[in-house]
Amino acid sequence: MPEITYLEAIREALDEEMARDPNVFLIGEDIGAFGGAFKVTDGLMAKYGEPRVIDSPISEIAIVGAAAGAAHMGMRPVVEMQFIDFMANAYDMLTNYVATARYRAFLGCPMVVRGPSGGYVRGGPFHSQNPEAGFIHTPGLKVVYPATAEDAKGLMKAAIRDDDCVLFFEHKYLYRRIKGVMPAGDHVVPIGKARTAREGTDLSIITYAATVHKSLEAAEQLHAEHGLSVEVIDLRTLAPLDDQAIFATTRKTHRVLVVHEDTRTGGIAGEITARISETCFAHLDAPVLRVTAHDIPLPYAPALEDFVLPQVQDIVTAALRLAAW
Amino acid sequence: MPEITYLEAIREALDEEMARDPNVFLIGEDIGAFGGAFKVTDGLMAKYGEPRVIDSPISEIAIVGAAAGAAHMGMRPVVEMQFIDFMANAYDMLTNYVATARYRAFLGCPMVVRGPSGGYVRGGPFHSQNPEAGFIHTPGLKVVYPATAEDAKGLMKAAIRDDDCVLFFEHKYLYRRIKGVMPAGDHVVPIGKARTAREGTDLSIITYAATVHKSLEAAEQLHAEHGLSVEVIDLRTLAPLDDQAIFATTRKTHRVLVVHEDTRTGGIAGEITARISETCFAHLDAPVLRVTAHDIPLPYAPALEDFVLPQVQDIVTAALRLAAW
Amino acid sequence: MSSRRRRLGEGPGASLGEALPLERKLELYHWMRLTRTLEERLVALYRQTKVVGGLFRSLGQEADAVGSCYALEARDVMSPLIRNMGAMLVKGATPVEILKQYMARGDSPTRGRELNIHFGDLGEAGKTRGFLGQISPLGDMVPVMAGVTLTFKMRGEDRVGLVYVGDGATSTGAFHEGINFAAVQKLPLVVIIENNGYAYSTPTHKQTAAKQFVDKAIGYGVYGEQVDGNDVLAVYDCTKRAVDRARAGEGVSLLEFMTFRRKGHAEHDNQSYVQPGEVEGWAADNDPIDRFVRVLVDREKVPQATLDAIDARIAQEVDAATDVAEASPLPQPLDALVGVYADPPSERPLWYREGADVSALGTERAEGWGTWDASKGAPR
Amino acid sequence: MSSRRRRLGEGPGASLGEALPLERKLELYHWMRLTRTLEERLVALYRQTKVVGGLFRSLGQEADAVGSCYALEARDVMSPLIRNMGAMLVKGATPVEILKQYMARGDSPTRGRELNIHFGDLGEAGKTRGFLGQISPLGDMVPVMAGVTLTFKMRGEDRVGLVYVGDGATSTGAFHEGINFAAVQKLPLVVIIENNGYAYSTPTHKQTAAKQFVDKAIGYGVYGEQVDGNDVLAVYDCTKRAVDRARAGEGVSLLEFMTFRRKGHAEHDNQSYVQPGEVEGWAADNDPIDRFVRVLVDREKVPQATLDAIDARIAQEVDAATDVAEASPLPQPLDALVGVYADPPSERPLWYREGADVSALGTERAEGWGTWDASKGAPR
Ligand SMILES: Cc1ncc(C[n+]2csc(CCOP(=O)(O)OP(=O)(O)O)c2C)c(N)n1
Ligand SMILES: Cc1ncc(C[n+]2csc(CCOP(=O)(O)OP(=O)(O)O)c2C)c(N)n1
Ligand SMILES: [Mg+2]
Ligand SMILES: [Mg+2]
């Protein structure tokens, strides 16, 4: 099996699921002949034809709403947001209509809303967002955010098969930078299960998406330069959170650093900290600390973006403080 | 000075600010001759005339966007959401346009977005929401949520005078149930400052809005029945959080319960817990615990709503556990 | 020409409504009367505080809801708004369901989760009645119905969708995005604008600067018609034409029904903003039931006794339904925890909920709970 | 009649564009040429990787941006889109500002915070140049400009607003809600739809089922015109009429400019989706500058040397601006922390940022930083 990129892994998942289930279809802006702004859906219209790959008007409310209606009828729509930032335009439809459909109306909404997310690419304030916190707060939605090519494929397949709406955040910095060899066969990664990206005993870093790679780099550096054994947990799924994995690593190392690229206040790190505090208080030898972006709309000049977003050195600094607690 | 209701206090603030500053104007659905769905703006069109009280089409994107444009030009718009739930429809405009305007374009957005919020009123899933967590996560927005009539007035006046956009959540359960005597003169309550609603030494409850009153009831019961001295902090402002008040009460009682009506996962309690953990870890004798709504779209049947939302007895139960830690 | 429109009264050729056989006209009468009688019962229950939450009337608009929905086949799907109880009844919603909903009962269609007539029964043709429960944010059902009808088109199913919006809801972004998407995709969807003069307190001239809502049709490149919404046969006629177009693959239609909201937005609203005499005028001259009774009695020579018999049957039906609804159980608190997701099927009660019977929950779910199963239809 | 529309070419009476004195026509030429030359320089800088982020061209659309904005007075306010650099230049944005923006310099108009031409200068007439920086989510500027012009109306200021949207952006809820609100309020706002055939890769027939975008005017109850967007004088004529209407209190106009996007959505896009020959056809027969040169030389008898001199002056200006921009400083990281709020004026660096010079921050803010001060205008 050859290595493929994170982006290709997503395309492979879409392709396999479209081949497997005729109810799966794609809808979004410029996803057809053009293959999408990042080419994730490249070739799929040619392969599956126009009715199964729909180029929509610039109407995020409509495409999310239409996907919901189709999902009620047993279809399995996969919606592309050209940039995940524009999910904000469909916030009402996602949080009020889609998220509540099963509960208030016993109507399933088996659909995926996916799109390029995250920064480190000089995209500026509207092409770099990490809006996951606004959605893990909404009961009825599931949220995944893979860090590896293998998970990108396996989680996409799981998301398409899930009976509820899954928001699938794809990190655009990883699209072509991260590669992996896909496991043979029908490779499905279960939603709701974290992954131990690196084993360790001195302290734990809980993270997801692009900062998994920054954390692994930091862990390596902490090991090489300071002899610290750092465990790195890649959450993969943000809703529902894998409490067992979070508590297990806490009980193992007694020191937890939560790292995310999202802004600090109201980011997911707060929720994770609260859960750890509630459940593992007696196991903590130090406070749960957070490395996050500054609370700022993301500026696009390289020097500014680099300053606002978490970097490897930040993680190292924070981990050293935590280790020394 | 006679007692007036929480709702009247808001109206009084609007009235005084409109009288004080000709740049203040109101915009929203049915707020003019009709006085708004809850009659908050009753009489203001008659007093200030049509140009200063604008009945808009059902267009949350437009009214928030128009308010932003007017605010850039030096006006001070106050937008009513007929129910705060419909703020979701303007999520893009609020988080992408309004919140970033000063930072990316050096354009002020001195505007207030206000509306009836919260549950306990059998409003069902779309007339009971507490969407504050989705916004404290957005740098550039301020968020207030008063619990008393005095604060409702004083914070509204501060919000209108603030040079940035303030989301002003009004608890509809408190509208006519809570009364207060307004301090004489130009009564302005500063944004960003919490209030000690009850002094205590054994444990702290940090809360805001309707659950302030539930917490005070619980505190009274805990005192009467269990001899516990409970401090109740009413945050009043949710962004920016009053770290000093949060840390001070933590250092005083060493036991903190955070109570909010909002759903649990991703609610503000997580953020507060993280801040306490980071800053006051050594002062904690017990984990920070949370009493919140269940993670469920709010059902409307009384028995269901009562089950999903936090009640006095829940707070008592949680406080007793915390006290016994 | 993809866009046409017609003014009040200028019907193109023979009316499909006039051409209905008498027994079908009597069905139209039945549904309108049932709508009104049931709403009157709801008012009584509301005054007895047996209704939980607000009560929304369609008094004077019965023809618009009933006549339009009557143009659908059983396999078609309709998405109502708050004033389309009549359409829901035509589509098979029962008075018992509606009464239980309004009283927030545990065995109501939404088990006490959603308000008043916010419920549906959607899925396969033949197995479900084909109506979709609305949510409160206005306009949202237009994109959702675009998705429902997109499915019909993709699967080659011979089914049509119909969605209602108020004059006020046309101002929402969701309405715009939804109808535009449906138009581009040439979906079998009929969009009906019920122009009842007001959105809550807001008159239509504060809602749009257009001279008429049907003028929006050309901007979306869809077929448009405007019709007297208080003439049930004209409403049927106009809608049937649009439904036939949709079924024939000719795409979206935008219909404007001219009517009037004779009660407040909800029961608590005293309509202080309405011009004096306006309500009374519509009540006296333009009540859709009165008008249709005149058609039936004067033109169709239906004996008054026939109508009286229908009325009596309806009164009895509503009485019986009220008894059933009043006797139905309240929701059980723990049911609140079931069915946010298909998996997990239920939430656990929060730890401080002393007395919550956790053992009753586990991961098993009661039959039909939580997840919609296309093969079974929605739980009744 | 509140709504009218006109087809390509059928101008109503004498053209306000044709009637412009020659020196003003030469100004139009100047702005179009400057737009093209500056964009060509940006392409060169992009290829040298000196541009940060994407590069968006308006090749072949210069007449539409320049001719329309030229119809505004200095006190009016314009809100551009990505292909309206020409309009920004007319409104007083300088090549230096634009170059610094594209190169994300520390003293660029947004100090490296926002992309390419996303910047503005808004405020009091006379003190600011009157253009408002866009944000990426399409359609959003329509409601915002409704608010700007609402202020003009409330204050009785004799100012007009102009906002551009692409054919694609008309599908957004924000466009719909914004223009509808402005129409109801009869605001002095001109809304221009630049129909350049594509939204990214999506052709207009997948964007709308309407035969033409100007057909939307009647649905909003506003004045509408369609015009040849590559004829700078016709564009001026049409816009001027709409601006005059707005100034006279006659409310909103919706204009459709027919043009063509000759380059990809951005420089990276190879336009694989465009029909073969389409781009070449527009370039050969319908280049707005070529067309206008013919008008100037053939009809107005302008010597070619006059135009050459303008071109030379522009080339020099762009060279000089490039030198200034290239020499300008990069942003300082700590500046990222300033001005999210008026109060507090700056954020503190996160604790793990070793080396961050906290002392440089405090609560003091540098002059003109963070807060917009109407009396000073935006920082340049
Ligand atoms: C997006 C949104 N904004 C505001 C409301 C509050 N609201 C509920 S009904 C209503 C008026 C609706 O008027 P219209 O669409 O004309 O329907 P009608 O009540 O006349 O049948 C309003 C403003 C809402 N439900 N959704
Ligand atoms: C709400 C929203 N959705 C998607 C996008 C991504 N996007 C940026 S430009 C563009 C195409 C715009 O087309 P059009 O409006 O015709 O303008 P043009 O580029 O042709 O000038 C798209 C889809 C966006 N910016 N905003
Ligand atoms: Mg109405
Ligand atoms: Mg375009």
Side-chain angles (χ1 to χ4, degrees), chain C residues 61-83:
Chain C
Q61 298 185 224
E62 294 90 345
D64 124 13
V66 166
S68 51
C69 191
Y70 197 74
L72 293 180
E73 302 296 323
R75 64 187 177 280
D76 296 335
V77 172
M78 182 276 297
S79 171
L81 281 187
I82 196 72
R83 293 188 217 290

Side-chain angles (χ1 to χ4, degrees), chain B residues 67-75 98 101-102 105-111 163-165, chain D residues 370-373:
Chain B
H72 291 338
M73 303 308 289
M75 302 297 288
V98 172
R102 179 178 302 283
F106 313 104
L107 287 170
C109 260
M111 56 189 269
D163 284 335
D164 290 306
C165 176
Chain D
T371 297
W372 173 75
D373 179 340

Side-chain angles (χ1 to χ4, degrees), chain B residues 6 84 87 112-115 117 132 136 141-147 151-152 154-160 162 165-171 189-193 208-209 235-240:
Chain B
Y6 181 100
I84 212 74
M87 214 181 236
V112 177
V113 182
R114 50 160 290 273
S117 316
E132 58 269 21
I136 68 150
L141 298 177
K142 294 183 176 179
V143 180
V144 303
Y145 206 159
D151 285 345
L155 282 167
M156 179 59 82
K157 288 171 69 97
I160 291 172
D162 200 278
C165 176
V166 179
L167 308 185
F168 193 98
F169 296 88
E170 303 167 1
H171 205 293
V189 173
I191 289 175
K193 292 268 163 276
Y208 57 95
L235 289 170
R236 306 197 287 193
T237 296
L238 304 178

Side-chain angles (χ1 to χ4, degrees), chain B residues 2-315:
Chain B
E3 273 202 335
I4 61 173
T5 63
Y6 181 100
L7 186 150
E8 289 161 341
I10 294 166
R11 187 189 301 141
E12 204 167 277
L14 296 173
D15 189 358
E16 287 179 19
E17 291 304 296
M18 289 182 84
R20 185 188 59 78
D21 180 352
N23 292 312
V24 177
F25 75 98
L26 313 182
I27 181 166
E29 295 153 19
D30 307 297
I31 64 169
F34 189 62
F38 285 86
K39 301 288 178 196
V40 173
T41 58
D42 204 24
L44 296 176
M45 186 186 262
K47 186 160 175 188
Y48 295 100
E50 190 130 4
R52 292 190 64 197
V53 183
I54 298 176
D55 272 328
S56 75
I58 305 178
S59 300
E60 285 78 12
I61 306 173
I63 62 183
V64 170
H72 291 338
M73 303 308 289
M75 302 297 288
R76 299 253 159 190
V78 181
V79 175
E80 172 169 311
M81 294 281 138
Q82 194 157 91
F83 285 84
I84 212 74
D85 313 55
F86 305 129
M87 214 181 236
N89 298 57
Y91 191 81
D92 160 62
M93 192 58 89
L94 278 166
T95 61
N96 284 331
Y97 191 88
V98 172
T100 65
R102 179 178 302 283
Y103 187 71
R104 70 177 154 74
F106 313 104
L107 287 170
C109 260
M111 56 189 269
V112 177
V113 182
R114 50 160 290 273
S117 316
Y120 299 107
V121 297
R122 290 56 173 115
F126 308 111
H127 291 79
S128 307
Q129 292 176 6
N130 288 289
E132 58 269 21
F135 295 101
I136 68 150
H137 176 247
T138 306
L141 298 177
K142 294 183 176 179
V143 180
V144 303
Y145 206 159
T148 67
E150 293 84 342
D151 285 345
K153 178 172 180 184
L155 282 167
M156 179 59 82
K157 288 171 69 97
I160 291 172
R161 297 180 193 187
D162 200 278
D163 284 335
D164 290 306
C165 176
V166 179
L167 308 185
F168 193 98
F169 296 88
E170 303 167 1
H171 205 293
K172 66 175 88 68
Y173 179 83
L174 305 181
Y175 266 161
R176 295 168 203 277
R177 284 183 181 83
I178 293 292
K179 294 185 176 188
V181 176
M182 296 303 110
D186 189 30
H187 168 55
V188 179
V189 173
I191 289 175
K193 292 268 163 276
R195 172 181 77 94
T196 304
R198 179 186 174 113
E199 301 252 8
T201 50
D202 293 334
L203 71 90
S204 303
I205 298 177
I206 297 177
T207 186
Y208 57 95
T211 46
V212 168
H213 302 281
K214 306 242 176 248
S215 299
L216 287 170
E217 248 186 83
E220 191 52 45
Q221 197 176 316
L222 288 159
H223 178 71
E225 294 172 18
H226 303 277
L228 281 171
S229 166
V230 177
E231 179 145 304
V232 178
I233 303 294
D234 172 5
L235 289 170
R236 306 197 287 193
T237 296
L238 304 178
L241 280 168
D242 185 349
D243 284 336
Q244 295 328 310
I246 293 169
F247 301 155
T249 195
T250 304
R251 292 187 183 117
K252 179 177 176 189
T253 69
H254 315 295
R255 288 179 161 77
V256 179
L257 183 67
V258 187
V259 177
H260 62 56
E261 183 186 325
D262 187 14
T263 47
R264 189 176 193 79
T265 299
I268 289 181
E271 178 63 30
I272 294 169
T273 305
R275 291 185 182 205
I276 291 174
S277 167
E278 278 158 7
T279 307
C280 308
F281 185 70
H283 292 271
L284 285 174
D285 288 346
V288 177
L289 296 180
R290 300 182 283 179
V291 169
T292 64
H294 286 87
D295 282 337
I296 286 172
L298 196 63
Y300 98 112
L304 302 180
E305 182 181 29
D306 289 346
F307 183 81
V308 174
L309 292 184
Q311 305 296 345
V312 172
Q313 191 50 49
D314 303 330
I315 302 171

Side-chain angles (χ1 to χ4, degrees), chain D residues 25-97:
Chain D
K25 287 185 178 139
L26 288 176
E27 275 182 31
L28 286 170
Y29 175 79
H30 167 91
W31 294 123
M32 288 204 285
R33 175 63 68 197
L34 176 58
T35 305
R36 186 164 296 179
T37 303
L38 181 55
E39 280 192 6
E40 280 162 1
R41 173 58 46 89
L42 283 164
V43 172
L45 292 165
Y46 178 84
R47 298 216 173 112
Q48 296 164 42
T49 68
K50 288 179 178 164
V51 161
V52 179
L55 175 60
F56 298 80
R57 296 294 308 276
S58 66
L59 181 67
Q61 298 186 223
E62 294 90 345
D64 125 13
V66 166
S68 52
C69 191
Y70 198 73
L72 294 180
E73 302 295 324
R75 64 187 178 280
D76 297 334
V77 172
M78 181 275 297
S79 171
L81 281 186
I82 197 71
R83 294 188 216 290
N84 301 117
M85 192 173 91
M88 290 174 70
L89 292 168
V90 171
K91 257 293 181 191
T94 67
V96 169
E97 287 179 310

Side-chain angles (χ1 to χ4, degrees), chain C residues 46-365:
Chain C
Y46 178 83
R47 298 214 173 111
Q48 296 165 41
T49 69
K50 287 180 178 164
V51 160
V52 179
L55 175 60
F56 299 79
R57 296 294 307 276
S58 66
L59 181 68
Q61 298 185 224
E62 294 90 345
D64 124 13
V66 166
S68 51
C69 191
Y70 197 74
L72 293 180
E73 302 296 323
R75 64 187 177 280
D76 296 335
V77 172
M78 182 276 297
S79 171
L81 281 187
I82 196 72
R83 293 188 217 290
N84 301 117
M85 192 173 90
M88 290 173 71
L89 291 168
V90 171
K91 256 296 182 188
T94 67
V96 169
E97 287 179 309
I98 291 167
L99 287 159
K100 286 179 176 175
Q101 268 296 118
Y102 260 110
M103 292 192 269
R105 297 305 166 120
D107 59 352
S108 72
T110 68
R111 305 210 305 259
R113 292 165 180 204
E114 248 285 28
L115 303 164
N116 49 58
I117 60 168
H118 289 206
F119 70 95
D121 183 12
L122 180 73
E124 265 182 74
K127 295 190 174 151
T128 52
R129 292 167 286 177
F131 57 98
L132 173 57
Q134 67 186 294
I135 62 168
S136 298
L138 292 167
D140 283 12
M141 301 316 293
V142 181
V144 175
M145 283 299 290
V148 168
T149 51
L150 176 65
T151 309
F152 298 161
K153 191 179 168 200
M154 287 173 118
R155 292 189 175 151
E157 290 186 49
D158 177 30
R159 300 170 78 181
V160 167
L162 186 161
V163 60
Y164 297 91
V165 292
D167 43 281
T170 62
S171 300
T172 62
F175 163 79
H176 172 73
E177 294 197 6
I179 189 171
N180 182 60
F181 175 80
V184 170
Q185 292 287 330
K186 250 189 165 221
L187 300 178
L189 182 63
V190 179
V191 180
I192 289 172
I193 301 176
E194 296 182 282
N195 182 350
N196 62 2
Y198 289 90
Y200 211 143
S201 75
T202 305
T204 49
H205 72 268
K206 287 193 172 182
Q207 201 66 241
T208 182
K211 280 207 297 298
Q212 42 188 10
F213 287 97
V214 71
D215 284 346
K216 294 182 181 293
I218 190 173
Y220 295 114
V222 302
Y223 179 80
E225 275 194 50
Q226 190 188 58
V227 74
D228 176 350
N230 284 17
D231 176 344
V232 71
L233 296 181
V235 166
Y236 172 83
D237 175 58
C238 165
T239 313
K240 183 69 167 69
R241 200 158 32 249
V243 167
D244 289 347
R245 287 178 60 91
R247 213 179 298 283
E250 293 173 61
V252 174
S253 297
L254 182 66
L255 310 181
E256 178 179 13
F257 292 175
M258 307 305 291
T259 183
F260 190 79
R261 201 193 74 209
R262 271 162 49 197
K263 300 295 286 181
H265 175 64
E267 275 300 289
H268 69 269
D269 162 15
N270 65 6
Q271 286 181 291
S272 51
Y273 45 83
V274 168
Q275 298 304 311
E278 222 181 347
V279 172
E280 296 73 12
W282 279 81
D285 311 331
N286 211 345
D287 181 84
I289 298 186
D290 291 352
R291 278 178 65 180
F292 194 45
V293 167
R294 283 200 296 276
V295 168
L296 292 173
V297 173
D298 298 352
R299 217 169 61 201
E300 307 269 349
K301 307 300 177 205
V302 174
Q304 182 62 45
T306 305
L307 302 182
D308 291 347
I310 295 176
D311 293 1
R313 220 184 325 117
I314 286 172
Q316 230 178 344
E317 182 187 357
V318 170
D319 280 347
T322 308
D323 290 344
V324 172
E326 292 211 63
S328 69
L330 293 174
Q332 290 303 305
L334 283 177
D335 184 43
L337 300 177
V338 178
V340 176
Y341 296 94
D343 178 28
S346 75
E347 304 296 302
R348 268 174 314 182
L350 287 165
W351 63 267
Y352 47 76
R353 284 288 183 179
E354 277 187 317
D357 181 6
V358 185
S359 70
L361 295 161
T363 54
E364 291 301 305
R365 67 191 117 156

Side-chain angles (χ1 to χ4, degrees), chain D residues 167 196 198-199:
Chain D
D167 44 280
N196 62 2
Y198 289 89

